[in-house]
Amino acid sequence: MTNDQLRRFVYALLTVATVGSVTARIANVELVFEPSRFHGQGDEPPDVAVRKWPEKRPAAMPTLSSNDRSRWCAVRALVDNGTWIIGHRTMNSDGTYRDDGIVFEDGWQSIDRVKNPETDDYYSSKPPLLTFLVASEYWLLKRAFGWRLTENTSYVVKTILITFNVLPLLLYLWMLRNLLERFGTTDWGRLFTFAAGCFATYVTTFGATLNNHTPAAVCTLGALYPILMANGPPKFVLGRWPLPALPSSSCLLISGFCTGLMFCLELPALSLAVLLAILLSVRDGKRTLAWFLPAALLPTIVQLSLNYWAIGELVPAYSKFGGPWYEYDGSHWLKPGIGQIKHGIDWARQHESPGTYA
């Protein structure tokens, strides 16, 4: 067996181990209640115990956090009810209120929700593009197999997690392997980097939850891949400033679409999107303007359109942080009153210095 054959065998072995481990975690994913994080009926809760222990055994749920449950609530509302509304507040004549809806049901609760101060309707605080894509697959599963999120929760959730986390992971590893084969100079360097891509990133850590980070990471590599693989390695001009090789129009189209999708899924990636657009413009401004930029804008336009459909505004819900959409009576995000202490990572600044936190 030659070095090339052995290296490709190791690539395949690492890929199977990575994909297999993530798939196994998805197959067995279930929310676990940790006693140290809860307090019992009538107990004075210590600082770390911020939740009340359930009086009855909760239903087994394959969702792990408020983050992914917020998206699942919106997916369920969109497909089953034809609306983005996941809850509603009803005000009583005596000034009290009652909250009901999907996001307040057992197993579906999430703090990642916002409330329209004019309608008292609750929405997921998450951007709508990923939610809409997931809802599209749920719609297909519901039509094809009759699966419902309320009755076949495990089947629906785990199937979708495999679609949005495992299959993109395979594509991610395939692109990484090809880049390493093209630009790597030693067997050790190629295999070490590939192993790091398999086991040393949060792409696999987030694999068992519905999250935006996994597809965003794949889109990031997808944005760079067509550029780096086009017409040889990047050329170094302007001192040591690297400019990408001149790609074809189809490469610009693919890279642009992945760049726009990357930004829609992970807003801090805007810096990379701008840098990539600048580098490509220096190489070929006309074709970048004709192919890359329109493809990059397409996901953004879809995101804004979905956001307007969801909440009636172009600006995303999370841009309203600190305002009435987030800070309403009973909200996790309501600023604590004078002398009130809130616990958890979101309020660590109240009782920890930056040095203590570090």
Side-chain angles (χ1 to χ4, degrees), residues 272-295:
L272 176 60
V274 172
L275 177 61
L276 188 56
I278 292 173
L279 293 177
L280 290 172
S281 296
V282 172
R283 290 289 290 165
D284 192 332
K286 291 183 178 179
R287 288 202 302 125
T288 299
L289 185 63
W291 296 99
F292 180 87
L293 289 181

Side-chain angles (χ1 to χ4, degrees), residues 37 55-56 59 74 79 83 96 123 136 176 178 263 277 285 287:
R37 302 294 301 168
E55 296 180 6
K56 298 180 181 179
V79 176
T83 178
T96 60
Y123 298 90
S136 300
L176 181 61
N178 291 344
F263 163 64
R287 288 202 302 125

Side-chain angles (χ1 to χ4, degrees), residues 94-253:
D94 60 357
T96 60
Y97 60 84
R98 184 183 75 256
D99 289 327
D100 50 29
I102 295 173
V103 73
F104 298 103
E105 295 178 8
D106 289 340
W108 296 87
Q109 299 96 330
S110 172
I111 62 173
D112 289 324
R113 62 179 190 264
V114 294
K115 185 174 72 69
N116 186 329
E118 297 180 1
T119 64
D120 281 339
D121 290 325
Y122 287 98
Y123 298 90
S124 169
S125 60
K126 304 303 177 184
L129 179 57
L130 178 60
T131 299
F132 180 79
L133 295 175
V134 172
S136 300
E137 181 174 356
Y138 172 41
W139 184 88
L140 292 174
L141 293 173
K142 187 177 179 181
R143 293 299 181 274
F145 305 110
W147 292 352
R148 298 179 64 90
L149 264 171
T150 50
E151 300 167 6
N152 313 100
T153 311
S154 186
Y155 289 167
V156 174
V157 169
K158 293 175 181 180
T159 300
I160 290 176
L161 289 180
I162 289 174
T163 302
F164 281 83
N165 290 349
V166 176
L167 297 183
L169 177 61
L170 270 173
L171 177 61
Y172 170 87
L173 294 176
W174 176 80
M175 290 189 291
L176 181 61
R177 185 202 66 176
N178 291 344
L179 287 171
L180 292 172
E181 283 298 294
R182 182 155 194 173
F183 296 102
T185 56
T186 66
D187 291 340
W188 164 252
R190 290 187 180 103
L191 293 178
F192 178 84
T193 305
F194 190 78
C198 288
F199 305 115
T201 77
Y202 278 106
V203 174
T204 50
T205 304
F206 286 123
T209 65
L210 180 59
N211 72 96
N212 59 300
H213 308 299
T214 298
V218 178
C219 288
T220 301
L221 192 56
L224 298 173
Y225 183 82
I227 307 302
L228 294 175
M229 295 295 286
N231 301 330
K235 297 180 180 180
F236 288 80
V237 296
L238 302 178
R240 292 188 175 184
W241 186 259
L243 293 178
L246 189 62
S248 65
S249 298
S250 59
C251 286
L252 287 171
L253 195 67

